[in-house]
Amino acid sequence: MSEQKQTFVIFLFASLIIGCLGVGNLAGQERERTWTSADRSAKIKATLSQYDPETGAIQLILSDGTTRSIFREMISTSDRRYLRGYLKRETSREEIIGPESSPATFPLFGIQWVPDLSQALQLASGRTGKADDRPVMCFRVLGDLRGPM
Amino acid sequence: MRTVSFSQPQTHRFLNQNFVNTFDNTTGDPTSGKSIWHQPGDPSGMCIRGNGKQNVQTLFLTPSGNIFHVATGFLSPDDLLAESKFAFQLFQKLNREPQIDGNDVVEAHRHRIESAGYPKKNVQQASPVAQMMNQGFPQVSGNVIKDVPFFGSNRPGNFMDLMIRQQILQDQKFSIQYPLMSWEQFERDPKTLVGNGQSFFSSSSSGNHR
């Protein structure tokens, strides 16, 4: 194989890998879209970060990187249709790669727990600033949550 | 108790999506109560909201370690979800401000207990028991705070209802009196929340005395 052909094959292979990585990344992340309020009086551009179908809680990431939490009842019917599609995509993704979990947490009674408060507070501080902060729920109890109590 | 409180998928989802969840073992703390040992797999017994307030407290904190909402004692899955939703919405409000402000915590809790039927002028005055004695004991219509009117009517209720209402009110009043108390300060003196009493928690007949 000539040097030119070798270079072309390497370029093609590298492009293929980069392309696959890109597709893999897109598979787990939603695109930015316009969200409309239920009464159609307001619109915002944001990316869906999380949606809980049981409680209706929706977390959006706005274009400036800040997060906003809203509830399903507050959005238009087309946005709700989009949420149903999101749930289907998430279900099929979890079937392929399994649910996301953080190495610092462990599951017990259906909850992902961080084993101590200082770690929990660290995790709760947003990586990209205050807008990403999360609150901490601390179950303060007499005894060992994992054993007899 | 824990197996009941954490038994519903919608509670799991809400807590996992919106909170960083942790726990703290209070064994050795002089303010903690007494309990009968239970394994996670032991059958759960009958509990009402608020049972064993010295034994278990659900605290909600900012990432900087300041307590902005509490619920003491046993919580049913519905109660836990309702308290978590209130805490999450309050946190969202607090976090939108340039600096987290204790006045917002006070106002949110005042509004919550006023919405539940407790007279505004009495929120920080007379003891809740005295208020209820004056105005009658309404009956419990549900186990989530918004469903529990403090003064729905003057019909007589029962003592358990009164205890539940009193404890819910005391939890809200803690956040009004000590908004954004730091975890360190709370750990030094948990009596501000759990009092001086010693509660005893037992929800089933199996297990050993502790």
Side-chain angles (χ1 to χ4, degrees):
Chain A
M1 197 186 289
S2 72
E3 199 174 319
Q4 247 184 343
K5 269 190 178 172
Q6 264 184 340
T7 310
F8 177 72
V9 170
I10 290 169
F11 174 75
L12 198 68
F13 188 63
S15 303
L16 199 65
I17 289 173
I18 291 166
C20 287
L21 286 174
V23 169
N25 190 34
L26 278 177
Q29 198 173 20
E30 296 297 300
R31 287 184 192 165
E32 187 178 67
R33 62 189 297 281
T34 302
W35 297 79
T36 309
S37 62
D39 62 2
R40 311 197 73 78
S41 65
K43 290 177 188 246
I44 49 165
K45 276 196 165 185
T47 308
L48 178 63
S49 169
Q50 284 173 344
Y51 168 52
D52 180 350
E54 298 286 346
T55 60
I58 300 162
Q59 193 169 51
L60 300 175
I61 302 172
L62 306 189
S63 308
D64 63 2
T66 58
T67 56
R68 183 170 298 178
S69 292
I70 56 174
F71 285 90
R72 186 175 47 219
E73 293 71 26
M74 299 160 70
I75 58 170
S76 67
T77 47
S78 61
D79 290 336
R80 292 181 203 185
R81 203 161 37 242
Y82 171 80
L83 290 178
R84 287 196 288 275
Y86 165 77
L87 282 182
K88 281 184 188 166
R89 289 193 294 280
E90 279 294 288
T91 308
S92 54
R93 193 172 73 87
E94 282 191 6
E95 280 168 2
I96 298 166
I97 62 171
E100 283 177 25
S101 64
S102 161
T105 65
F106 67 91
L108 188 65
F109 313 126
I111 305 289
Q112 286 290 331
W113 297 97
V114 178
D116 85 43
L117 182 69
S118 58
Q119 279 183 38
L121 293 174
Q122 270 183 358
L123 263 179
S125 295
R127 284 180 213 155
T128 58
K130 191 167 168 285
D132 286 345
D133 281 358
R134 277 189 294 165
V136 171
M137 188 280 285
C138 180
F139 193 61
R140 189 173 182 269
V141 67
L142 176 63
D144 182 2
L145 191 67
R146 290 164 283 197
M149 57 183 276
Chain B
M1 175 158 58
R2 65 206 133 155
T3 53
V4 178
S5 296
F6 298 114
S7 63
Q8 278 184 7
Q10 57 265 47
T11 311
H12 301 159
R13 286 199 196 95
F14 194 77
L15 285 170
N16 288 336
Q17 284 197 354
N18 298 307
F19 291 86
V20 176
N21 303 297
T22 189
F23 54 91
D24 185 52
N25 184 347
T26 61
T27 303
D29 185 312
T31 63
S32 62
K34 304 258 182 241
S35 181
I36 286 181
W37 276 30
H38 298 92
Q39 290 290 351
D42 285 350
S44 54
M46 184 81 175
C47 292
I48 60 164
R49 179 172 177 148
N51 273 165
K53 69 179 274 188
Q54 272 88 19
N55 300 47
V56 59
Q57 301 98 36
T58 308
L59 307 173
F60 297 92
L61 300 97
T62 65
S64 52
N66 296 99
I67 299 166
F68 65 91
H69 181 54
V70 297
T72 56
F74 169 76
L75 296 176
S76 72
D78 284 343
D79 291 333
L80 179 58
L81 184 59
E83 296 301 329
S84 303
K85 279 185 173 178
F86 172 78
F88 180 64
Q89 285 174 344
L90 176 55
F91 179 77
Q92 292 287 313
K93 185 173 186 286
L94 297 173
N95 210 36
R96 273 199 290 272
E97 303 297 328
Q99 194 160 8
I100 288 181
D101 187 349
N103 288 327
D104 290 337
V105 176
V106 172
E107 278 314 304
H109 285 87
R110 272 200 185 137
H111 177 72
R112 196 179 191 211
I113 53 180
E114 283 161 20
S115 306
Y118 200 83
K120 188 174 182 176
K121 63 185 168 68
N122 295 321
V123 167
Q124 285 187 303
Q125 294 175 6
S127 81
V129 174
Q131 291 299 321
M132 288 174 198
M133 296 290 252
N134 287 335
Q135 300 193 31
F137 304 155
Q139 288 179 333
V140 166
S141 60
N143 56 3
V144 177
I145 185 168
K146 66 178 182 184
D147 296 329
V148 182
F150 282 95
F151 303 116
S153 69
N154 284 334
R155 59 193 173 177
N158 64 48
F159 186 68
M160 285 297 181
D161 297 347
L162 177 62
M163 296 293 284
I164 292 170
R165 284 191 182 79
Q166 187 187 4
Q167 191 153 329
I168 291 171
L169 187 60
Q170 290 302 330
D171 289 348
Q172 311 303 306
K173 287 183 83 174
F174 171 83
S175 298
I176 291 171
Q177 286 169 355
Y178 307 101
L180 298 176
M181 179 185 267
S182 74
W183 172 262
E184 291 78 13
Q185 192 185 346
F186 173 75
E187 279 288 88
R188 278 197 297 274
D189 188 16
K191 287 199 297 292
T192 48
L193 177 64
V194 299
N196 290 308
Q198 284 279 303
S199 66
F200 175 78
F201 189 85
S202 169
S203 63
S204 80
S205 58
S206 63
N208 304 307
H209 281 281
R210 178 172 222 187

